[in-house]
Every structure is written in structure tokens, then in C-alpha cells.
Amino acid sequence: MKFCAVKQYFDDENNNNITSGASTTMIPLPNVESHPLAILITYCKKHLKIKANNADNKKETEKEMEQYEQELLKKVMPQELTELILAANYLNFKEALDFFCRAVASAIQNKSIEFVRKFFGLESDFELGEEEKLREEFAWSFEGVDED
Amino acid sequence: MYFPTSGGFLEKKRLSHFRRFQLIESEPTTPPSKAYCLNKGRMVCSAESTSKRQKPEEADRISNLPKSLLCRILSFLTTKEAVVTSILSSRWKTLWTLVPKLDFDYYELTTTSSSAEVQSHKRYNFNFAHIVSRVWALRGASHVQKFRLHWDHGVYDPVHMDTWVRATIARGVEDIDLHIDPNSNRSFYLPCSLFNCKTLIALKLSGNFEYDTPPSSSIVFPSLKILHLEFNFNSCDYLFTLPTLCPVLQDLSVKVHCWYADWHCKFISPTLKRLHLYMKFDELPYKLEIKAPALEYLNFGGHLDSILLEDLSNLVEVVIDIDVDLTKIDYYEHYGSRAWDFIGELCDIKSLHLSANTTEFLCNASEFDPPVFHNLSFLKVKGPCMLHVLPHLLQVTPNLAVLVVEKEERNFFSCEKGESFTCDMILYEEPLQQVVRKCLSSCLTTLHYEGFEGLKNELKLVKHFLKRAKVLKTMKISSYNLNSEEKLCVLKELLLFPRHSRSCQIVFS
């Protein structure tokens, strides 16, 4: 069970000896919205399916998973990534959380400051001259970063 | 009967059990229009709330994530890349200092634009040591989980490196990755506190290492699960005793490029599960004994000499990639027999991968007599010699379920046997035929042929498998060199071959 929060829920249920014979068990997920939940469920199912198909061949599993992840990223908008990260974090779904965080990281890697500000929807709130001072001090980190 | 609450839904009669799950008031900024619940894996939508979902403001959304998640995102960047974010806004100014990962690569941090003009505009002319020290100072005492230092260019300074390694140990580090120039004649002396570090789970050392004072107790690295060592001759022998001394080691990788002749070493580890050996050794003789009863995975590469494996009862998967400079050895024909003997010792495994080099040696062996691999269900054979070696392997793998053959293109190919040589062996030679027929008819479920070129003998082989394999489910064929027209032609021919197994699918890519 990849959604660790949900697993915890089921474990707790068993501990309280509730009969699991009831046909509907509603699990409240107040902090997860519909759209990211759908994507996470698809991701999880795909992950398990690929793993099952390639039980003997770890390299094949990794390769197929990478291909699927590339396809998925093309369909997801940057704004949706926030929701996906929050959802994966709430559900305690480590693989998806790492995947989406890595996706955000590669989107901003070595990009210009203006690009990153736009991506995150940020505005500079530094005092006059503070930004210049930081740029000078960390000049070594700006090597290879895109120009504004 | 269900009733909606502020962010989710509860089933009425079970309310008492859900007190623990009393709803957290959801963020007032973005009330959802539909909250979904998991219904034993299926999504069930309950009533829509009346308020329409507000379109969230574009500004500052990802930045609304809590600091821990932003740090998680930054942890996928190198330290240099993360520091850049300090300039985004005042909230981000010190965020990078909270990332528990430090990643310093000399090459990344010092490739500066060489023009003198640009240099003169920079107020501070920091070198590598300055930069790393500055980052340490700004981070303060916050926890370091992972420390990676690659200093394999420039003038390497062991004193600075010692300071930084000690600093990470003091901050509870779990993963250390040190890489220094193997050609440098200055070794790095590992501090004693490293050997006794209780938090360290993974350690990777590449380069020339020694130790300063011997560790105080006979147990070192009490929590270490992963150890990767890559050495040249300037490191000390003591480090090869580490795998035996680590009490909970699970993953070991040892790569030795050159050492002295007739080296003898023993690895004893009751907890070891994965072992990766690359013994280039400059083609000198050595003797390695391994006693790892819990071992599940073995990957051997390099020059094969005397390797004694004791107690392989849990070994499941083996990968062999022999890599030898032929000009340095004078027993080429015997080398193949040695390779067969080595494989023969692994006769209880379930999965075997043989690289192109390995199959070439096996093919040219003067004499060999492999035992039967009763449990082998997965076999991958690569290289132009794979067709020569395949019949001998099929003869000793009666329970093979998945066969992957990959014909690699090779520039230097020393085998004299023709392409058609042993296809005929598989197809016609009688004692071999019977055993292969049995395996194919009852066990083989999957066949992948990679590097298919549509040659006559290849088609013959595929036809033979399709005819005989009773339980074959998938036949996957991939080719690199055929254009789409040729592919279509080959596919048509393949589809016409009679198949013994009705449920067999042919996949061509």
C-alpha cells in the first residue's frame, strides 16, 4: 500500500476490531482535492503494474517508469505541481512526492532568476542594494545560470 | 446518509470512530468544489458544495508550500544551484541553508569564464575551499543528512577536507560520498571519528585513502548499510577489512583498478545482500574469499582470477561482465574454462546476465562441463557470440522461463565461428534437441530478441522457438537497424510462422 496515510487508517481500523465486511468504507481525505488524487492514483497503479510486469528485470522497470514519468510531466501544468506535492505529502506517498519535487527542481535548475520568480509567482521584496550585495557574494553560484 | 463538512465527508453512523480523523479546517483560500473520498480504492464523489471553486491567484502558489517541502525540492539540486535561490525573495534568502544536503563538486564550482575582464568585475575571487567554507559558515549547526564532495581536479587540500568531514560527522550525517583524484600522490587520512560514527548509513570512497589512527574498537561503522569503495594502489589494505568489520552491512561495492600481485583478502558478512565487484587489478593474480550467506545479488566485472564463494544458498541473481586487457594475459584459451567454472559454482541461482565480453570468453573456452541450473528461470545473453553459447546454456537450464538475447554490434570481434554454426546445433543435433525441446515445451514463457536484423539464421531460430514453445506468452523482437519497410516485411514473415502456443503474442519494436 503506497499511500501510507491510508494504510495507517486501515491498520488503525483493524486494531479497533471493526468488521471490514461493510461494503463502503469512506476514508476522509479532507486535504486532498479531486484532480491531484486522480493523478496520484493513476501514478500508483501504473507503478505497481510496471513492477509486476518486469518482476525479474529491474532495469526494464526503471526504463518503463521513466518513460511514463516523462509522458506524465508533459501533461501536468506547473501550477498543478503544488497541489500534487501537497497531496502526495499528505498521503505519505514517498515515490510520488520525490518524483514531483524532482520535477520542480529540474524545471528551475540553472534558469534565470526572472524565470524562477515567474515560475513560483514571486516578487522580489528586497531593499535597495540588498539583491546586488547577494549577487556579489554568491557570484560563484551564478556561473552557468541563464542570464535574466 | 452523508453530510458534508468543511473539507471532506464522513459516514454518519461511524462518527464515533472518526474522532481521531476530525477534519482539519481546510485552507480558507481555496475551498474545493468537490471533495473526494477513497472508497476501498475507487473514488466516490459525494455532494457538490455550493460555493464555486475560486481560481487561485497565480502569485506565490508554489511558494505557499511549507518550508519542509520547499527544502525537499531544493534537495534535488546541487548546493551551487540551491544557493542561487537565495536571491528570489526575502523568504527564500536563507531557505537553502536548511537543506540537509551538501553537494560540492570542484569541477562545477570552479569552471569560471576565463576572460580576465569578467574576473576583474567580481569583488571576491573565491576558490573552491573558500566557497565550501563560506557555505559551512552560513549553514550554522543545522543537520546534514548527505555530504558529497568531489575534489578530483586542482590542488587538493587534505586539511580542509578533514575539517569538513569532521564537521559533517558532528552534524549527524547519514550519507558521505568522497571522491578525490586517484592519480594524486596525496592520500586522504580518514579521521577516527568517521569509523565510530553512529549515524552513518552510506559511505562512498573513491580515490586514495588511509587512516590516521586505528579505530578504538573492533566494531566500526555500527549503522553502515551501504559501502562503496573504489581504490588504486595508494590506499591502505586495512580498508579491505571494513566489509568484515561492519556489523549490519547490506550493500557492498568494491572496485580495484590496480593493486599489487598475489593479494589475498576475505570478506565475511552475515548481513550482506548485494555485492558488486570490479576487479581490474591490472590483470595481476589475486585471491578473494567471500562468505556471505545472505547474499542475493552478485555483479562481477573485470579480471577473473581466484574467487572462492562460500554458502550461496540465498543467491538469486548474478551479472557477469568479464573485462580483461588481452595483451596482458597469456592464457586466453584457459580463461574461457575459468569463466565456465565460475558460472558453474553458481548453479542454484534464478537469474543470470552475461555480457558480450563474457559470452566471447565462454565461446572460446577449450573445455567446459557446466552443471545443471535447476532453478534458473531468467537468462540474458549478450554479444555476437551469444548464438554460439546459447545451445550449451539451454542444455543445462531445464526450467528456463524468460530468455533475453541481445546481439550487440562490436567493432573488435575475435571469434572465428560463423553465424550459422550453432543455430544448426540447436535445431538438429539430437541429444541437445531433446533437452531443449523439453525446456521449450514446458517452461519458456517469454523470449526477447534484441538487435534483430532479419537474417536467415535468426528467422530460423525464431521459427524454431515459436514451433516448439508450448507455453510461450510473449515473443518480443526489437531491432535497431531496420527501417520501417524492412520491419514490416520481417513482421509479416514472423506472423506466418506456425505457433504451438495459442496465446502467444508477438511484439515488434
Side-chain angles (χ1 to χ4, degrees), chain A residues 9 22 25 33-34 79 82-83 97-98 102 109 113 117 121-122 125-126 130 135 137 141 143, chain B residues 14 18 21 23 36 38 53 58 60 62-63 72 76 80-81 84 87-88 90 92-93 122 134:
Chain A
Y9 178 92
T25 307
E33 296 186 15
S34 55
Q79 294 86 344
T82 323
E83 296 172 2
L97 181 59
D98 281 344
R102 229 182 306 132
Q109 198 172 27
I113 294 297
R117 281 202 181 120
L122 288 173
D125 54 353
F126 284 122
E130 205 177 339
R135 272 192 189 266
E137 187 184 344
S141 75
E143 297 284 339
Chain B
R14 298 248 192 113
F18 287 38
F21 299 96
L23 297 169
Y36 276 65
L38 277 187
R53 176 178 176 156
E58 293 297 346
D60 231 16
I62 299 192
S63 257
R72 199 171 187 137
F76 289 104
K80 172 184 177 290
E81 290 163 350
V84 171
I87 216 176
L88 288 174
S90 54
W92 283 77
K93 190 171 163 193
K122 285 203 291 199
R134 185 66 188 146

Side-chain angles (χ1 to χ4, degrees), chain A residues 19-49:
Chain A
T19 54
S20 52
S23 56
T24 57
T25 307
M26 300 288 277
I27 304 163
L29 295 173
N31 289 342
V32 184
E33 296 186 15
S34 55
H35 187 50
L37 183 61
I39 296 182
L40 287 177
I41 290 181
T42 318
Y43 182 89
C44 187
K45 282 187 177 164
K46 188 76 187 178
H47 195 182
L48 293 171
K49 187 173 158 205

